[in-house]
Amino acid sequence: MSFFKFCPSCASTHFTFPDNRRFLCEDCEFTYYHNIAAAVALVFTFEDKVLFTVRNVDPDKGKWDLPGGFIDPNETAEEAACREIREELGLNLQVSDLKYVTTSPNNYLYKNVPYKTMDIFYECQLTSDIIKVEAEDEIQELIWVKRSEIDLDKIGFVSIRKVIREKYLK
Ligand SMILES: [Zn+2]
C-alpha cells in the first residue's frame, strides 16, 4: 500500500515503498525517504489545570489537542514552540519559560498521506488562566481542565493521549 501511484521522476509503476518509509523506483532508481517530521506540543498548566485546544481542522477536528505544531526547517524545537504559541495564542514566551517533558511518536494522516511524527513536549506554567485564541482557523476553543477531570477519550492524537495519561492525569 502506497500513497504514490507512480514514480514522481519517471512515472513508472514499478517501485517498492515498504511501510511508507523508503520509496525506490525499480526503473530509474529514484529514491525518496519519507522521514518522520518533528513537532512540538505545549502543556500549559495553571494551578491544577491543563490547557487543551479543540481542533478546528482535520485530522481529528473537534478533538482535544495541545498548542504546538511542526518544526520548520532550520528552526530549533524551542524556537518552534515559541513561534507556534505566538501564532496560535498571541503569547510571547521565552525559551527559558519552557521545561522539557518528554518525546512521543505520533501518526498524522493529512489528505491521505500518512505522516509519522516525533512530538517533543514542553511544559509551561502560567500565572493566569486568562488566555485567548489567536488562530481561530486552527483552534475552535481553549479549555482548562482539572487534572482529575481529564477525559482521555476526547484527546485525538495518540502521542498526546499517552503523555497526558503518563504525566498529567491525577
Ligand atoms: Zn522512476
Side-chain angles (χ1 to χ4, degrees):
M1 268 292 283
S2 163
F3 52 87
F4 286 137
K5 287 191 168 63
F6 305 99
C7 169
S9 182
C10 76
S12 166
T13 54
H14 305 127
F15 59 79
T16 57
F17 201 5
D19 301 326
N20 289 330
R21 287 184 65 174
R22 188 187 69 151
F23 179 101
L24 176 62
C25 178
E26 290 163 2
D27 287 336
C28 76
E29 295 190 356
F30 173 82
T31 305
Y32 168 72
Y33 283 92
H34 189 54
N35 291 326
I36 62 163
V40 290
L42 276 281
V43 183
F44 285 101
T45 60
F46 173 71
E47 295 175 346
D48 68 337
K49 293 181 285 187
V50 169
L51 182 77
F52 289 95
T53 63
V54 179
R55 292 180 63 80
N56 202 21
V57 283
D58 276 323
D60 285 327
K61 184 173 179 176
K63 289 281 198 174
W64 292 5
D65 193 5
L66 294 175
F70 287 101
I71 300 174
D72 281 342
N74 303 317
E75 197 176 42
T76 67
E78 291 81 4
E79 286 166 352
C82 294
R83 175 183 52 74
E84 287 286 348
I85 295 311
R86 195 167 55 244
E87 291 170 1
E88 293 183 351
L89 306 176
L91 279 183
N92 284 307
L93 297 182
Q94 307 296 316
V95 169
S96 58
D97 296 327
L98 305 172
K99 192 183 95 183
Y100 171 78
V101 178
T102 188
T103 63
S104 189
N106 195 34
N107 304 310
Y108 193 94
L109 185 67
Y110 185 71
K111 298 194 175 182
N112 288 323
V113 179
Y115 297 92
K116 293 279 185 181
T117 72
M118 180 53 66
D119 295 351
I120 304 166
F121 288 76
Y122 295 98
E123 183 181 317
C124 180
Q125 292 182 8
L126 293 181
T127 52
S128 160
D129 60 356
I130 298 169
I131 186 165
K132 63 176 180 56
V133 176
E134 192 76 23
E136 287 170 356
D137 50 334
E138 291 178 37
I139 299 170
Q140 280 179 26
E141 60 174 325
L142 299 173
I143 43 175
W144 284 103
V145 184
K146 285 187 178 173
R147 289 170 59 171
S148 58
E149 295 174 359
I150 293 172
D151 183 352
L152 292 172
D153 291 338
K154 291 192 171 153
I155 299 174
F157 294 128
V158 291
S159 57
I160 290 173
R161 210 178 309 139
K162 179 172 189 287
V163 171
I164 293 291
R165 187 183 68 234
E166 290 178 357
K167 308 269 186 193
Y168 293 95
L169 218 55
K170 235 187 221 166

